[in-house]
Amino acid sequence: MSGPRDLTRRAFCRVTALAAGGLLVHVRALGGAAPSASRADERAVFVPNVFVRIDADNEITISVARPEIGQGVRTCLPMLVAEELDADWSRIRIEQAAFVDRGAYGDQYAGGSQSVRNGWAPLRHAGAVARSLLVKAAAQTWNVDPESCRTSRSIVTHPSSGRSATYGALARLAAQLPIPQEVPLKEARQFTLIGQPVTQLDAPRIARGTEPFGLDIRVPEMKYASIERARILGARIASVDDRRARAIAGVRDVVHIDADSLPGFGDNCPPPANGVAVIADSTWIALKARRALHINWSGGAPTENTPQRREESRALAAGAAEHIVRNDGDVDAAFRSAHRTLEATYELPLLAHAPMEPMNCTAKVGADHCTLWAPTQNPDYARKVAAAICGLRPEAVSVHQMRCGGGFGRRFYADYIGEAVVLSRHARVPIQVMWTREDDMRHGFYRPASLHAMRAALDAQGHLLAWTQHLINAQRGDFLRWLLPPGITALPAGDELGPFDFPAGFVSNLRLGATAIRNSPVPLGQWRSVEDSSNVFVYQSFIDEVAQAAGRDPLAYRLELLGVDRPIPYGSRATYSSGRLRKVFELAAHEANWGARMPANSGRGIAGSFANSSYVAIVAEVEVDAQREVRVRRVVAAADIGRVINPSGATAQIEGSIIFALSAALKQEITVLNGGIVQSNFSDFPVLRMPEVPPIQVHFITGSEVPTGCGETAVPPTAPALANAIFAATGIRVRKLPIRAADLANA
């Protein structure tokens, strides 16, 4: 996923008049050629890049270009516009942008916790330009200096004369004024909306059941499809007996989906699996007929098994790393001179995303146009896939971005969209493809499993002299066929290590190496917080082991390593502040009463990380009973996510991340047996139930003027904080996820 791009206040804007006498503001958000200000453009009021519409009745509509997957962007992003516009928030309407235009918007995906980061400058600029033009319109009407006018709650006033006008009354005149090349943005002390807790704008509709999700779409003449896919990974259709299925009333067709016959979609955009689809008059008929199919499958990977992969990984860990990703100082010399050394092996499983709403898409394919109704995190991929299958220009594909019932990275891909397009193109009617929960669990793109061989060296005073990590796993990039630089024929091992935030930069002798498993048939993809979800568990658990070996308090040991505030290199172009990381550790520890006595069989653990450009520390408190069952009693989080736009939404995101991470740490694992995914539903891939969710306290530090990531950043440190708390309660080290009572009892 690409990161944010530089943007100046001179981002191109243009303004056109609505037919009804309104004001329409377009912003060239993230680059691309500026559109001309021709008369034709002025008449095209419903063209791309619409962010603000002000109607004559003083109602303001703000368009949101990013997908809403539960992270709150349909509220948070309009807040940025409304703040600079000085709009009456009670009269704001929101609408999802009804088009995909990368040249206008830049990337429109939801991923990497970047929606607010990337929207911070352009959306504020859109509001400021609109406000500036409205003020100039009022000043011209009253023949006064624009500087003498004020704005508030969608009204322009002239205090000295007592005159006022609504934005709606001024919209037509404002639309005729020249575009300002620069407009001032507010200083933080002037904010009246940003930083205030705001209820999600679409929450009432969701509560009433009137907010449409993907499965709520109904299109004239639409039919429904359910698809049987191979249980064995990579298997192909050998033969199909569909006579019983076709005999069921309401079945319209049975269609083979041959993934190999589809055009290539490019890197990071995997095709759908091979399958047999039943098209019917209702979902239930399609499901019934699907069960009546008799399919013979061939090929695939019937020998793929999780236990064998685990043994292979352990054998590889005993050897030298295939690729050294980072090598600071003289690691070998440091180990030779060490007073004490430690070794540990950590294991993490494959994980599914398991969003509450399974995959689905509705497609309507015509001769020269395709329309999609898709709950997707990546409308650009959806359009690309549909265009490739239909042989259309991307501009001939319309994507209606539906609200998603969760995503966590799964909806970044467009395989399920491709299925709907293939079937609609074949049937020549709109088709809604609906996955079952079992489909979703067994045909996802999973977080890679991994094994990490760790070593540390300490001097006589317990100071950390050297640190090594050897990662063994199958890589997402190999499965997703990521584009490689010229001259490179294979993705180097270790890509899953990603940028490394700790203890890299704090210990002089550090070696990070990796060995890739190249022949895995398991579909892999992004998972909430991506590689940080694995790596942070490993190094924030192992640093606790190092602190114990040094005879030091785990928090004090971390803070000593962090030292004074200084910039630490992170990846190839970024840095982060050790001082800001230190502050979230200190705040979480303070709010959790770190160091206070705990009841018997109880413990407190801490972990923290820099991820998605933000800093989070977690303190978990647990109780472990005589049967080694773990009960999480409290979680305290401290987060520095920069400028907090909506504290209510940000708190919900941190809480949701923690619950998501606790579910994975305590309950979840995807395993492969004889080439097929074993797990099928929440019965064997469970999430925390409401009575299991502990009290969660969230505290924010304002670390910078700009917002950073929030939706994923609390996931990485949650599992290690939990594992470290279990050690504090029991003396048992957790080195394998998920945490099961039987494993603790046998430790």
Side-chain angles (χ1 to χ4, degrees):
M1 301 185 198
S2 60
R5 306 177 190 173
D6 294 336
L7 179 75
T8 69
R9 292 187 181 183
R10 293 181 180 272
F12 183 81
C13 299
R14 62 190 177 96
V15 182
T16 58
L18 285 175
L23 177 69
L24 191 67
V25 178
H26 300 252
V27 178
R28 260 350 233 194
L30 295 171
S36 64
S38 66
R39 287 289 174 185
D41 284 334
E42 291 177 4
R43 290 194 299 272
V45 295
F46 296 112
V47 298
N49 299 338
V50 180
F51 282 112
V52 182
R53 184 172 72 245
I54 302 175
D55 296 329
D57 64 358
N58 209 33
E59 186 172 73
I60 297 174
T61 302
I62 299 176
S63 293
V64 179
R66 295 274 180 171
E68 175 62 81
I69 54 175
Q71 79 279 41
V73 294
R74 285 191 185 174
T75 300
C76 205
L77 296 183
M79 288 175 70
L80 302 179
V81 178
E83 177 65 73
E84 295 290 345
L85 183 56
D86 277 338
D88 181 354
W89 185 252
S90 68
R91 299 204 63 187
I92 291 290
R93 291 182 62 255
I94 55 171
E95 64 181 16
Q96 190 74 42
F99 51 86
V100 179
D101 189 337
R102 186 167 184 168
Y105 286 118
D107 293 313
Q108 285 180 254
Y109 63 77
S113 299
Q114 297 188 68
S115 295
V116 176
R117 279 188 278 168
N118 286 359
W120 171 250
L123 294 178
R124 290 177 64 207
H125 192 75
V129 167
R131 176 186 172 277
S132 173
L133 290 163
L134 291 162
V135 168
K136 288 178 182 177
Q140 280 191 16
T141 302
W142 302 328
N143 195 26
V144 299
D145 183 354
E147 294 296 325
S148 65
C149 297
R150 300 291 180 265
T151 54
S152 177
R153 296 181 63 82
S154 304
I155 297 174
V156 182
T157 60
H158 186 244
S160 62
S161 66
R163 285 175 288 190
S164 65
T166 66
Y167 286 178
L170 296 165
R172 182 182 292 275
L173 176 57
Q176 302 171 24
L177 298 176
I179 309 301
Q181 292 301 306
E182 288 196 20
V183 290
L185 300 183
K186 290 183 179 181
E187 298 180 9
R189 59 182 174 80
Q190 299 173 298
F191 291 158
T192 58
L193 183 60
I194 289 175
Q196 300 301 312
V198 174
T199 302
Q200 300 284 338
L201 287 174
D202 50 5
R205 295 196 300 273
I206 294 172
R208 292 193 299 266
T210 58
E211 176 69 25
F213 289 72
L215 287 173
D216 297 315
I217 288 299
R218 297 294 180 266
V219 179
E221 301 180 359
M222 185 180 84
K223 302 301 178 184
Y224 302 81
S226 185
I227 304 171
E228 182 71 12
R229 302 169 188 87
R231 284 294 308 276
I232 295 176
L233 297 169
R236 297 182 54 79
I237 302 165
S239 64
V240 179
D241 182 348
D242 58 14
R243 288 172 294 180
R244 289 175 55 215
R246 289 182 180 274
I248 295 173
V251 171
R252 299 300 174 181
D253 205 351
V254 176
V255 182
H256 299 193
I257 296 178
D258 181 2
D260 292 339
S261 69
L262 297 177
F265 304 137
D267 77 317
N268 208 44
C269 195
N274 297 306
V276 180
V278 174
I279 298 175
D281 290 341
S282 73
T283 298
W284 305 113
I285 294 173
L287 288 169
K288 180 180 179 181
R290 174 183 166 183
R291 289 191 291 269
L293 293 169
H294 181 75
I295 307 172
N296 292 317
W297 302 92
S298 64
T303 61
E304 180 71 16
N305 284 283
T306 294
Q308 284 85 337
R309 286 295 183 185
R310 185 174 293 129
E311 291 305 315
E312 178 186 359
S313 296
R314 289 173 180 166
L316 291 171
E322 171 189 337
H323 178 231
I324 300 300
V325 177
R326 180 167 177 169
N327 199 12
D328 299 350
D330 191 335
V331 171
D332 295 331
F335 271 94
R336 286 194 298 269
S337 65
H339 176 76
R340 181 173 181 180
T341 62
L342 287 81
E343 295 186 4
T345 299
Y346 289 83
E347 296 180 61
L348 295 100
L350 293 165
L351 286 176
H353 303 82
M356 192 57 62
E357 177 194 23
M359 301 302 104
N360 66 90
C361 178
T362 302
K364 180 182 179 181
V365 178
D368 55 6
H369 192 270
C370 174
T371 303
L372 303 174
W373 292 265
T376 171
Q377 290 179 238
N378 196 334
D380 187 53
Y381 273 20
R383 185 172 72 164
K384 178 174 72 171
V385 165
I389 292 172
C390 297
L392 298 171
R393 295 175 299 106
E395 294 76 18
V397 179
S398 298
V399 181
H400 296 283
Q401 172 65 58
M402 306 306 300
R403 200 184 202 283
C404 304
F408 317 124
R410 176 61 181 91
R411 284 190 159 90
F412 195 82
Y413 305 109
D415 56 307
Y416 59 100
I417 291 164
E419 292 173 335
V421 173
V422 166
L423 296 176
S424 178
R425 188 180 186 216
H426 171 87
R428 299 185 180 183
V429 295
I431 296 291
Q432 183 176 98
V433 168
M434 187 202 78
W435 290 37
T436 66
R437 175 67 56 201
E438 289 76 11
D439 295 335
D440 197 56
M441 201 72 73
R442 288 178 167 158
H443 300 284
F445 301 110
Y446 307 99
R447 186 193 74 174
S450 58
L451 184 143
H452 305 251
M454 308 296 296
R455 297 175 67 222
L458 284 69
D459 66 14
Q461 289 74 44
H463 300 131
L464 183 60
L465 291 178
W467 176 284
T468 71
Q469 178 178 2
H470 183 185
L471 163 68
I472 297 91
N473 75 338
Q475 304 184 112
R476 288 171 298 139
D478 284 333
F479 171 78
L480 296 170
R481 300 178 182 176
W482 286 351
L483 290 178
L484 301 173
I488 304 297
T489 59
L491 183 70
D495 186 79
E496 297 290 340
L497 285 171
F500 207 80
D501 75 306
F502 186 85
F506 302 101
V507 56
S508 299
N509 306 293
L510 176 136
R511 182 181 296 152
L512 306 178
T515 299
I517 295 174
R518 302 287 184 182
N519 58 344
S520 171
V522 178
L524 303 174
Q526 325 284 23
W527 189 85
R528 193 174 188 176
S529 75
V530 199
E531 65 268 3
D532 289 316
S533 69
S534 297
N535 292 327
V536 174
F537 168 71
V538 173
Y539 69 74
Q540 282 291 317
S541 297
F542 192 51
I543 198 68
D544 251 50
E545 297 203 43
V546 173
Q548 180 202 8
R552 300 287 305 280
D553 173 79
L555 172 63
Y557 200 78
R558 286 175 172 83
L559 297 181
E560 182 180 301
L561 275 171
L562 287 172
V564 299
D565 185 15
R566 61 195 188 280
I568 302 296
Y570 182 77
S572 59
R573 293 176 294 177
T575 61
Y576 74 96
S577 163
S578 63
R580 291 174 69 178
L581 184 56
R582 181 187 187 97
K583 285 180 180 178
V584 294
F585 272 117
E586 291 173 334
L587 178 59
H590 176 268
E591 295 297 334
N593 201 17
W594 183 265
R597 291 180 62 85
M598 294 285 291
N601 304 316
S602 299
R604 190 182 286 117
I606 194 166
S609 65
F610 174 75
N612 299 109
S613 299
S614 294
Y615 309 79
V616 173
I618 300 288
V619 175
E621 295 179 357
V622 305
E623 177 184 354
V624 184
D625 65 21
Q627 289 72 42
R628 299 303 192 192
E629 295 288 346
V630 176
R631 178 78 178 185
V632 185
R633 291 301 184 187
R634 182 170 70 136
V635 175
V636 178
D640 177 350
I641 61 170
R643 174 69 55 185
V644 180
I645 309 303
N646 181 5
S648 175
T651 298
Q653 283 294 284
I654 299 295
E655 292 172 339
S657 294
I658 290 168
I659 296 168
F660 185 87
L662 288 175
S663 294
L666 289 167
K667 296 173 176 286
Q668 295 177 348
E669 178 180 20
I670 289 292
T671 55
V672 184
L673 182 64
N674 298 328
I677 303 298
V678 173
Q679 289 71 26
S680 63
N681 211 312
F682 289 130
S683 58
D684 49 11
F685 193 85
V687 297
L688 286 187
R689 302 288 180 164
M690 290 182 68
E692 299 173 297
V693 175
I696 300 173
Q697 301 170 14
V698 180
H699 305 273
F700 292 106
I701 297 174
T702 301
S704 68
E705 289 300 307
V706 300
T708 52
C710 182
E712 301 170 89
T713 192
V715 172
T718 297
L722 173 64
N724 293 336
I726 291 171
F727 174 79
T730 65
I732 299 171
R733 282 290 173 197
V734 174
R735 299 193 182 103
K736 179 183 176 183
L737 296 181
I739 301 166
R740 293 194 170 99
D743 294 333
L744 296 178
N746 294 327

